Amino acid sequence: MNLFDVYSLFDVTPVKAQGCRVWDDKGQEYLDLYGGHAVISVGHSHPDYVKALTDQLGKIGFYSNSVKSPLQEQLAEKLGKASGYEDYTLFLDNSGAESNENAAKLASFHTGKDRIIAFHKSFHGRTSGAVALTDNPNIVSPFNSHHKVTFCDLNDAEGVEKELKKGDVAGVIIEGIQGCGGINLPTAEFLQALESLCKKYGSVLILDEVQSGYGRTGKFFAHQWAGIKPGIITMGKGIANGFPCGGILISPEFKAVKGMLGTTFGGNYLAMAAALAVLDIMEKENLVENAHEVGEYIKANIPASPKIKEVRGCGLMLGIEFNEEVAPIRKALLFDKHIFTGVAGKNMVRLLAPLCLTKQQADVFINALKELL
Ligand code: PLP
């Protein structure tokens, strides 16, 4: 049987990885500045992470969600402290798309309304519910004209208010920083306006922190740069360092009613062991601060070139926008310089490195880019 061939893959087979480094089956070493779609937060094969997972496997296997889970409770407590959201509650699921669908459902339950506002160039996932919230020409979807979703322009508070005034909007969903859409940042003023407009018109502000969350931007969540508190925060990707895990943080205004949400695998023992290890390591190694420092260092040292239009982003969520298509330079970075990078659209190299990236490793990338330019 063949694999259903729906996304592009580089012809590299990794067999070993450590920190920000990866080795292929021919012994070639690579620097990983992408972390397999932003899932590597504390670095590959961190010894504490590997130990937590293997210890957990030895204790209790995969029995899941019909009994109390002390590990889920431990995670809720630790995450509340680490994020500054101790008064919120946690619902655990398996992926970013599922988190966004759960958030949209909850917003609708909570408000009794059924329209969602999302933003142009957004990406919220690939399931039919999440892709309906997505506006991205590279994402093929039969649901882009879903009639209950309205797309507004990022940073246009007036446009959002015009829609909210109609009175049927359950929630406004926005990425902390747009990732797949090309590292587009909502301004702090815009996020603050969304927070107060949602309060004024009885809608829920949903912050999708699936890609921008857990330290990547130099704050625990990207929206914390704007000093706001959303109704729901959605999470996924790096929260268990590559082990499938998602979740949502829910403001105390929401009343939990049995049957609203459910899951088979959400919060399973291995995901919890992985997620707890991630929070421990992030704290012990000051990875949020490191992401900020090394990200600023990269931004300040990307070589000036007529080929580069702009460098933008925050912490280790960075986009280098070129005046030309980046496929050739990404290929040269991977096969000549042995550096993994990501992409957004055709003209942007997107960096989503593990949060433990060092300045020395950043220099390897900066020098490689200089040579290729
Ligand atoms: N939301 C954002 C902002 C994302 O970047 C992604 C994935 O790239 C998702 C949601 C979907 O996450 P998942 O692929 O885990 O469903």
Side-chain angles (χ1 to χ4, degrees), residues 94-98 100 123-126 175 180 208 210-211 237:
N94 306 282
S95 70
E98 200 185 339
N100 287 329
F123 181 74
H124 297 291
R126 297 274 189 165
E175 287 156 84
C180 302
D208 177 345
V210 170
Q211 192 169 139
K237 289 198 181 285

Side-chain angles (χ1 to χ4, degrees), residues 182-220:
I183 310 292
N184 303 309
L185 287 82
T187 63
E189 298 74 39
F190 180 62
L191 288 176
Q192 288 153 10
L194 286 187
E195 182 185 44
S196 54
L197 286 172
C198 282
K199 282 204 176 104
K200 180 170 169 191
Y201 293 102
S203 301
V204 178
L205 179 58
I206 303 167
L207 249 296
D208 177 345
E209 295 275 5
V210 170
Q211 192 169 139
S212 56
Y214 264 44
R216 177 153 300 283
T217 67
K219 289 269 187 202
F220 196 86

Side-chain angles (χ1 to χ4, degrees), residues 85-102:
Y85 281 102
E86 277 179 279
D87 55 336
Y88 280 44
T89 47
L90 171 66
F91 180 80
L92 289 155
D93 51 43
N94 306 282
S95 70
E98 200 185 339
S99 298
N100 287 329
E101 290 208 22
N102 282 328

Side-chain angles (χ1 to χ4, degrees), residues 7 16 85 96 98 107 112 126 132 147 156 158 184 249 263 287 303:
Y7 48 79
K16 191 175 95 171
Y85 281 102
E98 200 185 339
R126 297 274 189 165
H147 66 284
D156 173 17
E158 261 177 48
N184 303 309
L249 295 185
T263 177
L287 293 185

Side-chain angles (χ1 to χ4, degrees), residues 64-65 67-74 92 267-269 272:
S64 197
N65 282 331
V67 289
K68 274 188 105 168
S69 162
L71 286 179
Q72 290 183 8
E73 284 162 17
Q74 276 173 41
L92 289 155
N268 70 75
Y269 290 95
M272 294 302 91

Side-chain angles (χ1 to χ4, degrees), residues 12-85:
V12 176
T13 308
V15 292
K16 191 175 95 171
Q18 188 76 57
C20 299
R21 296 178 304 156
V22 172
W23 288 263
D24 72 10
D25 52 355
K26 297 172 192 78
Q28 177 63 55
E29 182 180 329
Y30 298 81
L31 177 65
D32 182 10
L33 298 184
Y34 186 56
H37 304 325
V39 301
I40 303 301
S41 46
V42 299
H44 295 280
S45 312
H46 191 292
D48 296 357
Y49 175 83
V50 173
K51 184 173 184 316
L53 268 171
T54 41
D55 282 357
Q56 189 58 44
L57 249 186
K59 275 187 215 152
I60 187 163
F62 288 92
Y63 191 78
S64 197
N65 282 331
S66 63
V67 289
K68 274 188 105 168
S69 162
L71 286 179
Q72 290 183 8
E73 284 162 17
Q74 276 173 41
L75 182 72
E77 192 177 336
K78 206 178 260 289
L79 178 54
K81 287 202 175 93
S83 64
Y85 281 102

